[in-house]
Amino acid sequence: MYFNNSNSFFHGIMFHHFHDDGIHLKSQGSISKDDFKNLINFIGRKNILSADDFYEKFKKDLLKKNEVCITFDDAIKSQIDVALPVLSDYKIKAFFFVYTSMFEGNPDNLEIYRYFRTNYFSSINEFYSNFYEALNENLEPFFIQNQKEIENKKLKFQMYTVEDIKFRLVRDLYLKKDEYEDIMQKMMKKKKIISSELYSKLFFSKDDLKKLDKQGHLIGPHSHFHPTLMENLTIDKQKYEYEKAISVLSKILNKSKSDFKWMSHPNGSYSKDTLKVLNKIGLELGFKQIMKIEPEKGMKKINNSNLEIAREDHSNIIRLMN
Ligand SMILES: [Zn+2]
């Protein structure tokens, strides 16, 4: 039984990575076609609304507490190769939230780096130790200083190990973006990897977007560049992130900009200003990346506003199932 006291309210189910026996290797948090089917059955097909129904019912305030929708973030190719056939079998239309710099030949390196650490190291911890070796600094004081933050994050994101959280803190807080990327580029160069050769393997093409749209799935913006922390950008930059994404999508899909009324927050990051910007642009339904109330964001309840709808990460559901 999926629904319990802590998740009986309408929400989204959030998916990122899938694996198969072919080009998409098993990686941290990835699931197989069978896992996906089992998960749908565990939630109960009847509780899963197609994205368009979810949106319509949301607008009319008619969503029931056992109604969920399926959402995919980041335009990751394995979603097309592995998950889409399952959606067709079950006749489920989903939300696909994509960031759009990749459609201008400039995807976020996050996915490239993930591919790198999955395919070129025997384990994630081996990657971490190689990374720390390349960084070559004493991180102990930084970890001690952030002990509380590490504990809080562990409570909030059960799917991460302490090592995962520490690495993310080093990546996002200790290092500046270009410092982090320098180290990654050096490590990749050592293994003779050329990023641009990986794009078609890792990301949606424009044709993938058109196909999804034609099949009735709903595509929405997830920013343009996928910044790590949207909430730290100036209002103008935040506005650009979403307006640019909508403009790229409307061109590829030959739709009006006002057709895009649904979105998800990259890394779940937003501020009150972000919400103002999004409302002004005309977005009506926005998804977070967790199922908890975040008082520090001014949330008073779950599904606090039209742009703060909760989502459960698929890995937490897999844990419930086992
Ligand atoms: Zn994302």
Side-chain angles (χ1 to χ4, degrees):
M1 181 68 182
Y2 170 63
F3 293 98
N4 56 47
N5 285 340
S6 63
N7 69 3
S8 289
F9 45 83
F10 68 83
H11 60 273
I13 311 294
M14 177 174 72
F15 294 91
H16 283 92
H17 297 89
F18 294 82
H19 60 255
D20 54 24
D21 296 325
I23 49 172
H24 304 294
L25 289 188
K26 196 170 177 172
S27 62
Q28 222 178 2
S30 71
I31 62 172
S32 70
K33 189 179 171 177
D34 284 341
D35 294 330
F36 188 36
K37 285 185 188 169
N38 291 339
L39 194 148
I40 291 172
N41 296 333
F42 180 67
I43 294 173
R45 172 63 186 89
K46 65 176 194 313
N47 299 320
I48 301 172
L49 300 188
S50 272
D52 48 345
D53 295 336
F54 190 92
Y55 168 73
E56 290 303 333
K57 285 185 99 170
F58 173 76
K59 287 296 292 174
K60 292 177 192 147
D61 211 3
L62 290 175
L63 282 170
K64 299 193 186 94
K65 60 185 179 180
N66 64 328
E67 290 183 323
V68 301
C69 60
I70 288 183
T71 76
F72 299 86
D73 279 5
D74 297 349
I76 299 161
K77 190 76 173 186
S78 63
Q79 296 167 359
I80 301 284
D81 295 341
V82 185
L84 191 57
V86 177
L87 292 177
S88 302
D89 284 353
Y90 281 86
K91 298 192 168 53
I92 298 171
K93 312 285 180 223
F95 286 104
F96 286 83
F97 299 118
V98 305
Y99 70 95
T100 48
S101 63
M102 69 180 69
F103 302 112
E104 303 198 323
N106 188 16
D108 188 76
N109 281 322
L110 200 71
E111 215 48 52
I112 310 280
Y113 296 158
R114 181 189 173 91
Y115 178 84
F116 173 56
R117 53 180 209 244
T118 306
N119 288 268
Y120 290 83
F121 299 89
S122 62
S123 70
I124 188 69
N125 286 333
E126 193 205 326
F127 163 76
Y128 291 151
S129 63
N130 272 261
F131 180 87
Y132 293 135
E133 211 171 284
L135 172 61
N136 194 23
E137 283 179 33
N138 176 19
L139 294 168
E140 234 12 77
F142 173 73
F143 289 140
I144 291 169
Q145 194 192 326
N146 285 282
Q147 191 52 42
K148 196 100 215 119
E149 177 75 6
I150 294 169
E151 283 163 20
N152 285 341
K153 281 226 155 60
K154 182 72 190 125
L155 287 175
K156 217 157 141 183
F157 302 102
Q158 292 170 16
M159 65 274 201
Y160 291 149
T161 65
V162 171
E163 284 309 312
D164 295 337
I165 292 167
K166 283 180 163 178
F167 172 72
R168 280 163 174 77
L169 280 178
V170 171
R171 180 188 69 189
D172 302 337
L173 204 62
Y174 183 82
L175 294 171
K176 293 198 184 74
K177 192 170 193 234
D178 54 331
E179 292 171 337
Y180 166 68
E181 303 223 331
D182 273 353
I183 297 169
M184 291 302 289
Q185 295 300 341
K186 262 184 218 146
M187 289 173 74
M188 283 172 50
K189 211 172 161 191
K190 243 172 134 178
K191 307 230 181 201
K192 302 196 169 48
I193 296 169
I194 297 161
S195 314
S196 58
E197 288 177 359
L198 299 174
Y199 290 176
S200 65
K201 209 171 170 172
L202 297 182
F203 301 111
F204 286 10
S205 64
K206 290 181 185 174
D207 283 340
D208 289 328
L209 278 187
K210 288 179 198 162
K211 180 164 95 180
L212 288 173
D213 181 56
K214 224 174 138 191
Q215 292 182 4
H217 301 284
L218 299 188
I219 296 161
H222 184 58
S223 81
H224 181 63
F225 286 117
H226 205 290
T228 310
L229 285 172
M230 179 70 74
E231 64 203 82
N232 288 352
L233 302 187
T234 62
I235 297 185
D236 282 347
K237 278 195 178 146
Q238 296 192 25
K239 197 161 168 255
Y240 174 81
E241 282 287 345
Y242 287 106
E243 283 184 338
K244 173 75 178 169
I246 289 174
S247 138
V248 172
L249 290 177
S250 69
K251 266 184 212 135
I252 296 172
L253 298 173
N254 200 16
K255 291 185 171 214
S256 147
K257 287 180 186 172
S258 59
D259 288 337
F260 299 92
K261 303 209 175 293
W262 32 81
M263 60 80 63
S264 70
H265 301 281
N267 296 331
S269 175
Y270 65 89
S271 65
K272 285 205 167 120
D273 287 333
T274 320
L275 301 184
K276 266 185 217 155
V277 164
L278 292 171
N279 275 317
K280 214 167 169 188
I281 294 175
L283 287 153
E284 296 177 348
L285 171 62
F287 290 92
K288 294 168 66 73
Q289 92 298 21
I290 55 172
M291 294 281 279
K292 294 187 165 65
I293 299 169
E294 295 182 287
E296 68 273 23
K297 285 191 153 68
M299 286 179 75
K300 292 191 173 63
K301 55 178 172 42
I302 206 80
N303 293 342
N304 194 50
S305 71
N306 62 319
L307 298 173
E308 295 172 288
I309 303 306
R311 282 192 298 175
E312 182 62 289
D313 189 279
H314 69 72
S315 58
N316 292 331
I317 304 176
I318 299 270
R319 203 173 309 108
L320 274 177
M321 288 163 59
N322 293 330

